[in-house]
Amino acid sequence: MKKILFCLIFIIGCTQKSPVNPKGYQTENVILITLDGVRWEEVFHGADPNIINNAEMVNNIEEIKNVFWYDDANIRREALMPFLWGTIRLNGQIYGNKDRGSVMRLTNPYFFSYPGYNELLVGFNDDSVNSNAKELNPNTNVLEFMHEEDAFKGQVAAFASWDVFDWIINNERNDFTINSGAYPLKDSLLTQKQRWMNKFVSDMPYEGYGLGVRWDALTHEYAFEYLKYRKPRLLYIAYDETDEFAHQKKYGKYLQMIHRLDRYIGDIWKWIQSNDMYRNKTTIIITTDHGRGGYQDGQWGSHGQNVPNAEYVWTAIIGPDTPQMGEITYADTIATNQIAATITHLLGYDFKSNRKTGEVIGSMVRKKIN
């Protein structure tokens, strides 16, 4: 039975034809990745000098400082996110360093998760999406928009640590793969590893950790295994533990988790470079759903309408159609509501939702030579 399963998966992968991008770009696949609640301050400056020595937020100060502390902020950020600052800085673009004139912000006024993910995926703020409650999202998101295209039928998938994504993406309205929280992966072709993970996830105790949140390690393995064997053309991976540790004011674990997620993304990129279907044909976009407060405001770990600077976010992109500009400085302000249109544009389509959406981020897309 196992041999038959893997033969089927192999045949599926081998019989897929290389698609033609309707707009003539090289991008045939997009992977969207979110790191929940990761501040732009850590992304661009590394470990915060105001927090890393705080024994209330860092249990093992010397251990954390040995890994993440350097006097030079550029070295600190490279120590925290070596893939971002090693590979993406050299081969892609990174936006959101307010201190150097690059601003990215939310257009929704709430500055917490569900409204942030709604804005990201549907391309606009909806004032009725104003809580983290498990309510089905009425808006058309970028995943379902692309899944309606013939070339993307059965080629879209989403994996998330937070179980509310079943409602954010609206699994009642959509039949592509959406897997989140403690829910097992439902698929007609499961690998041995995926079957084992389904049993492990369903047996895990979730009380006292983060209600409805599974470990990012499990989300990563689910998504990576799916990527390798089902080869989707549009994949969304939503990690969450950074936000959990920030709310718990565990700054050391927050830094460690950022570092681990950066490694996960690097592993995905390395695999992409080894695979003919994805190499030089895939764009990766990394961003977050909201910012959070600062130590000096007494609100590090918090976010929301009443938290200063929680509206400021960041994004990074790497792919065959994106100019190699590195860290963006002194540029026009961009917004989270522009990501969905940018994704579809790179794939060769013009995004339409049930309301007017943000425009394509033009600087992310190489101008074609006719």
Side-chain angles (χ1 to χ4, degrees), residues 21-23 145-146 149 151-152 341 344-351:
N21 187 301
K23 292 185 183 295
F145 173 84
M146 290 307 306
E149 298 293 336
F152 284 80
T344 60
H345 183 81
L346 283 164
L347 289 170
Y349 298 83
D350 299 318
F351 181 52

Side-chain angles (χ1 to χ4, degrees), residues 211-271:
L211 193 59
V213 178
R214 73 179 171 210
W215 294 335
D216 283 341
L218 294 171
T219 295
H220 177 70
E221 291 300 328
Y222 264 130
F224 206 176
E225 187 84 346
Y226 192 92
L227 174 66
K228 291 174 181 176
Y229 293 104
R230 297 305 298 271
K231 295 184 170 57
R233 293 189 58 199
L234 177 56
L235 174 65
Y236 176 36
I237 310 174
Y239 300 112
D240 184 84
E241 284 187 86
T242 44
D243 193 60
E244 297 298 321
F245 289 131
H247 280 299
Q248 296 169 24
K249 299 197 182 311
K250 295 180 179 179
Y251 191 71
K253 291 186 178 296
Y254 166 80
L255 293 178
Q256 289 174 321
M257 201 65 223
I258 293 174
H259 186 67
R260 183 187 300 173
L261 296 180
D262 177 86
R263 173 167 56 83
Y264 287 169
I265 299 167
D267 289 344
I268 291 171
W269 180 253
K270 182 178 179 180
W271 182 84

Side-chain angles (χ1 to χ4, degrees), residues 153-201:
K153 288 288 186 185
Q155 296 294 309
V156 176
F159 292 84
S161 296
W162 190 33
D163 67 355
V164 180
F165 270 96
D166 277 19
W167 286 262
I168 295 172
I169 300 174
N170 197 325
N171 65 351
E172 285 194 6
R173 191 173 65 227
N174 296 300
D175 60 0
F176 56 84
T177 296
I178 305 170
N179 173 257
S180 70
Y183 302 113
L185 173 62
K186 297 178 180 179
D187 194 271
S188 57
L189 297 174
L190 289 175
T191 68
Q192 182 177 2
K193 183 175 185 178
Q194 288 167 334
R195 289 195 298 272
W196 175 85
M197 289 178 65
N198 276 351
K199 184 178 186 307
F200 184 79
V201 166

Side-chain angles (χ1 to χ4, degrees), residues 37-52:
V38 171
R39 297 195 309 169
W40 70 270
E41 288 93 335
E42 275 78 25
V43 172
F44 291 97
H45 301 306
D48 191 322
N50 295 305
I51 309 176
I52 198 168

Side-chain angles (χ1 to χ4, degrees), residues 15-77:
T15 55
Q16 288 176 333
K17 295 180 180 179
S18 182
V20 176
N21 187 301
K23 292 185 183 295
Y25 294 119
Q26 295 180 61
T27 297
E28 297 175 4
N29 320 287
V30 168
I31 300 176
L32 173 65
I33 299 172
T34 49
L35 316 183
D36 198 300
V38 171
R39 297 195 309 169
W40 70 270
E41 288 93 335
E42 275 78 25
V43 172
F44 291 97
H45 301 306
D48 191 322
N50 295 305
I51 309 176
I52 198 168
N53 292 302
N54 186 326
E56 293 182 359
M57 298 189 188
V58 183
N59 291 333
N60 46 345
I61 292 177
E62 290 307 314
E63 179 184 337
I64 294 298
K65 290 184 70 173
N66 283 340
V67 178
F68 299 117
W69 181 254
Y70 296 87
D71 291 335
D72 187 321
N74 287 335
I75 300 177
R76 286 204 305 272
R77 70 187 189 181

